[in-house]
């Protein structure tokens, strides 16, 4: 499962499923075990991609339509891969990324109604052969995820407030996205692992660690090779 060098783990799921919390918990656990861990995110993660992130999440690019947005996501991902993720993996780090190619497959492909061949072509260019070693898909009913997202932002139920443009969308879109992520997991079970995001954060974190840790090299052995 591991490549020569680092290990690439991505985290996917709908709105409000707790990806950021779980990535932080996993990074802390792996660091305590001696792994060199880097956390990053999409859209964003590199200076060029962060500039695109603001345009995408603010809704400023929405008028251009799903095809235009998909191209922007791909451009941001390409910069992120080449400037941040690939160098970190080449340096032997464990890279934990909040969203990656599966989010584009779902958000622009499934609910953006874009042609699958178009999405696949953008993906090939953007990732340039760099696929995740392991993907954790956090799952919960869409209604619960949106309720969590609103609570996190301190927004009363039914109001939009400071939610980003994806969190403000219709509940049916969120349900379709949940199904889209589950379909990806079913089609690629070796890479993708579905984790119930509803239990307490500590219980979810234990499950994530049990999935990811066996896929990592022994840091003691790695240190020994480096000192040889």
């Amino acid at each position: 499962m591991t490549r020569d060098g680092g290990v690439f783990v991505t985290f996917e799921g709908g709105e409000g499923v707790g990806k950021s919390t779980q990535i932080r918990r996993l990074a802390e656990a792996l660091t305590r075990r001696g792994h060199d861990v880097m956390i990053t995110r999409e859209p964003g993660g590199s200076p060029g991609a962060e500039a695109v992130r603001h345009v995408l999440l603010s809704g400023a690019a929405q008028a251009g339509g799903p095809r235009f947005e998909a191209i922007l996501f791909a451009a941001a991902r390409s910069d992120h891969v080449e400037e941040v993720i690939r160098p970190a993996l080449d340096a032997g780090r464990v890279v934990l990324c909040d969203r990656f190619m599966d989010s584009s497959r779902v958000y622009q492909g499934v609910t953006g109604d874009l042609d699958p061949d178009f999405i696949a072509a953008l993906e090939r260019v953007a990732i340039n052969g760099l696929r995740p070693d392991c993907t954790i898909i956090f799952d919960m009913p869409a209604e619960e995820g949106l309720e969590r997202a609103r609570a996190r932002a301190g927004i009363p139920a039914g109001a939009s407030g400071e939610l980003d443009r994806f969190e403000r969308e219709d509940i049916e879109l969120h349900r379709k996205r949940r199904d889209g992520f589950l379909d990806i997991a079913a089609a690629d079970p070796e890479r993708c692992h579905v984790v119930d995001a509803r239990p307490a954060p500590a219980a979810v974190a234990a499950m994530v660690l049990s999935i990811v840790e066996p896929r990592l090299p022994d840091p003691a052995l790695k240190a020994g090779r480096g000192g040889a």
Side-chain angles (χ1 to χ4, degrees):
M1 195 70 179
T2 57
R3 59 169 56 80
D4 290 337
V7 179
F8 186 25
V9 184
T10 57
F11 297 77
E12 301 282 4
E15 308 303 327
V17 295
K19 297 187 310 310
S20 298
T21 296
Q22 292 303 325
I23 290 172
R24 185 174 63 253
R25 283 176 172 264
L26 180 62
E28 291 169 354
L30 295 181
T31 299
R32 288 194 298 269
R33 287 160 170 77
H35 295 282
D36 183 7
V37 181
M38 183 186 80
I39 297 176
T40 189
R41 67 177 183 177
E42 290 205 349
S46 65
E50 287 291 334
V52 178
R53 176 186 177 89
H54 174 73
V55 173
L56 288 165
L57 297 190
S58 69
Q62 198 169 4
R67 190 179 180 92
F68 176 58
E69 285 193 321
I71 292 170
L72 288 180
F73 272 108
R77 179 163 299 131
S78 177
D79 190 70
H80 188 205
V81 164
E82 302 305 334
E83 297 299 321
V84 175
I85 299 175
R86 200 185 303 277
L89 294 172
D90 288 344
R93 306 185 73 182
V94 178
V95 177
L96 309 180
C97 187
D98 186 346
R99 299 200 181 280
F100 195 60
M101 63 187 192
D102 297 307
S103 282
S104 287
R105 292 176 177 183
V106 170
Y107 281 75
Q108 283 75 55
V110 174
T111 56
D113 294 324
L114 294 178
D115 183 88
D117 291 339
F118 174 71
I119 292 294
L122 285 180
E123 179 180 301
R124 284 194 299 273
V125 172
I127 69 173
N128 192 21
L130 185 66
R131 291 175 57 82
D133 296 299
C134 178
T135 296
I136 306 295
I137 296 177
F138 294 104
D139 179 58
M140 68 167 51
E143 294 85 352
E144 293 182 36
L146 287 177
E147 184 176 327
R148 281 192 181 187
R150 291 190 178 100
R152 179 188 66 208
I155 297 169
S160 58
E162 296 301 317
L163 296 175
D164 69 38
R165 55 130 320 178
F166 294 109
E167 292 167 331
R168 292 194 299 266
E169 290 172 326
D170 183 82
I171 187 63
E172 284 304 319
L173 283 177
H174 292 282
R175 290 174 181 147
K176 287 177 67 175
R177 286 171 185 153
R178 182 193 185 192
D179 291 342
F181 280 119
L182 294 176
D183 287 345
I184 287 171
D188 195 353
E190 183 176 347
R191 173 176 67 88
C192 299
H193 305 266
V194 178
V195 171
D196 187 348
R198 292 172 296 179
V204 176
M207 177 60 68
V208 172
L209 182 61
S210 74
I211 293 169
V212 174
E213 191 172 29
R215 291 163 170 77
L216 305 181
D218 185 331
L221 293 176
K222 182 177 176 181
R225 288 197 302 269

